[in-house]
Amino acid sequence: MYADRTILNPVMGELEKEFGLSGTQLGVLNSVFYFSYALLQVPAGVLGDRIGRKKVLVPGFLLFGAFTAVTGWAKSWSTLLCARVVTGAGEGTYYGPQYGISSEQIPKKYRSLGSAIINSGMAFGIALGLMTSSWLVFDLGHSWRMPFYAMAVPSLLTGLAIWWFVKEKKRSAQTVAAGGQKIRFSDLFKNRNLLLVYLMVFCSLFGFFVILTWLPYYLQNERGIPGSETGFISSLVAWISIPGALLFSSLSDRLGRRKPLILLLVPLAILSMISIVWMPTMTGVIVALCMYGLVGKLALDPVLIALVADSVDEHNYGSAFGLFNFIGMSSSILAPIIAGMVRDITGSLAASFYFSAALLAVGLFGMLFLKEKKTPEVIL
């Protein structure tokens, strides 16, 4: 999924040339994907809770795999936009149903760590998508279309593999009555901790998607880095995030609490976000990117996911996680287009990084009001 998203970013300059696009239009191209992606989060989560999560997850996987290839085939600006809309809708069926399946099966004492292991696929996808796209286009000389064709195949195969191999607990009215209580969707908005987590994920994802969408372009056009190198440099955020996420999620499980890790990670993420612009040398920028990878969104996510699972009954996981990702991904609709508009107005992307850091500070302030109790049974 994340490789399918990030193969676009290194070749945005090629699309700009072929279709004559402005920075705002490049932002729109990313935003329409995330609009349909976010729009499907809540319906997919609720539907998965009701009819079975695999029944929602697998068709969506096959849909976005097919339309990844259609994106590469697109011959006009309108077709390109439509293909990204449908690709986003297909991927929008993943989050709630998948984390519903995994959260009800991962033992509570390993909840953060289990989510971090799953999230490592996100990191690998981001890194390999960026590197593969740069390699195919700038090193091997293929058209910008080739990465989309190449990634469509493993996407479709993975959807089939999920259908064949992923096991899901059978659900019935009797099971729900015995194991927990279904709540109304509106009741999720009455949960104090959930609301604070939703605020934090919105603020965290805004900066992450500024980096994910615009970093290769920023490195090429404002730092003078060759296109063939931007994929690898941008992928450092994802590679470094893997050990960071595993380390901090393990610490969260050992503590039996999530808040201390959040209060540690977010200030460091703010500093690293600002440093991407502040650093005068490319070596400094790389250090800042590695720091963000270590403590930023990808390291924070498993802790927030565990906090959501801690706050609701397992029979409401799909709905709670769907809303979690809908609110978080709403910022991804705004981030690419706002950053593109800022570039058109100011001639630089620097202000977008500063604004992202400010939003992280807002989320951090909200986390000060989070209330949680240490849970003795989750101490390892």
Side-chain angles (χ1 to χ4, degrees), residues 296-353:
K297 183 264 182 188
L298 294 176
L300 182 64
D301 250 16
V303 181
L304 297 180
I305 289 167
L307 193 51
V308 172
D310 292 344
S311 303
V312 295
D313 182 84
E314 69 174 39
H315 300 291
N316 302 292
Y317 278 162
S319 300
F321 281 118
L323 184 58
F324 170 83
N325 209 36
F326 167 75
I327 293 174
M329 296 308 295
S330 295
S331 67
S332 72
I333 301 170
L334 301 173
I337 192 168
I338 288 176
M341 291 172 65
V342 167
R343 195 218 69 169
D344 287 345
I345 294 170
T346 67
S348 171
L349 289 163
S352 298
F353 290 98

Side-chain angles (χ1 to χ4, degrees), residues 40-356:
L40 266 288
Q41 295 300 309
V42 174
V46 173
L47 189 62
D49 284 343
R50 292 181 178 177
I51 69 171
R53 290 153 184 164
K54 281 178 61 175
K55 293 179 181 178
V56 177
L57 179 61
V58 173
F61 231 97
L62 298 177
L63 181 67
F64 85 72
F67 272 82
T68 296
V70 173
T71 303
W73 171 82
K75 299 296 193 298
S76 68
W77 168 238
S78 58
T79 304
L80 194 62
L81 282 178
C82 291
R84 297 309 287 168
V85 168
V86 179
T87 304
E91 292 196 13
T93 65
Y94 171 82
Y95 206 93
Q98 186 283 124
Y99 276 107
I101 293 172
S102 61
S103 293
E104 69 182 6
Q105 298 194 31
I106 297 172
K108 189 173 183 180
K109 64 180 180 178
Y110 300 117
R111 186 164 278 166
S112 289
L113 182 60
S115 297
I117 293 171
I118 293 171
N119 258 22
S120 68
M122 181 192 306
F124 276 107
I126 290 171
L128 293 176
L130 291 168
M131 294 172 66
T132 299
S133 185
S134 293
W135 177 66
L136 287 173
V137 176
F138 297 110
D139 288 337
L140 298 187
H142 290 293
S143 164
W144 63 265
R145 303 174 188 275
M146 181 57 69
F148 294 93
Y149 297 143
M151 279 310 306
V153 175
S155 299
L156 292 169
L157 292 177
T158 301
L160 295 175
I162 291 172
W163 179 256
W164 290 326
F165 299 115
V166 170
K167 305 301 179 185
E168 180 180 7
K169 287 183 179 180
K170 293 184 178 180
R171 314 180 68 77
S172 66
Q174 292 78 11
T175 301
V176 172
Q181 182 180 4
K182 289 288 290 183
I183 64 173
R184 291 178 301 174
F185 182 76
S186 60
D187 290 340
L188 296 176
F189 293 97
K190 301 175 184 178
N191 187 313
R192 175 195 182 95
N193 278 5
L194 280 182
L195 291 178
L196 292 173
V197 172
Y198 292 162
L199 172 65
M200 184 69 254
V201 76
F202 178 90
C203 296
S204 175
L205 261 68
F206 187 96
F208 175 71
F209 278 97
V210 168
I211 289 178
L212 190 64
T213 303
W214 284 102
L215 183 60
Y217 189 95
Y218 172 75
L219 293 175
Q220 289 179 47
N221 293 277
E222 297 191 33
R223 292 287 182 166
I225 304 301
S228 59
E229 298 179 17
T230 57
F232 172 74
I233 294 174
S234 301
S235 73
L236 291 174
V237 172
W239 290 125
I240 299 296
S241 75
I242 296 173
L246 294 175
L247 170 63
F248 293 121
S249 62
S250 180
L251 287 175
S252 174
D253 287 336
R254 288 179 180 275
L255 288 172
R257 298 179 62 199
R258 320 300 178 188
K259 185 174 179 178
L261 269 296
I262 295 172
L263 298 183
L264 170 66
L265 294 174
V266 177
L268 294 174
I270 293 172
L271 179 61
S272 62
M273 181 71 71
I274 295 173
S275 297
I276 293 172
V277 179
W278 276 358
M279 289 295 181
T281 66
M282 197 58 223
T283 300
V285 173
I286 291 174
V287 171
L289 289 172
C290 290
M291 177 59 71
Y292 180 80
L294 187 67
V295 301
K297 183 264 182 188
L298 294 176
L300 182 64
D301 250 16
V303 181
L304 297 180
I305 289 167
L307 193 51
V308 172
D310 292 344
S311 303
V312 295
D313 182 84
E314 69 174 39
H315 300 291
N316 302 292
Y317 278 162
S319 300
F321 281 118
L323 184 58
F324 170 83
N325 209 36
F326 167 75
I327 293 174
M329 296 308 295
S330 295
S331 67
S332 72
I333 301 170
L334 301 173
I337 192 168
I338 288 176
M341 291 172 65
V342 167
R343 195 218 69 169
D344 287 345
I345 294 170
T346 67
S348 171
L349 289 163
S352 298
F353 290 98
Y354 293 138
F355 183 68
S356 300

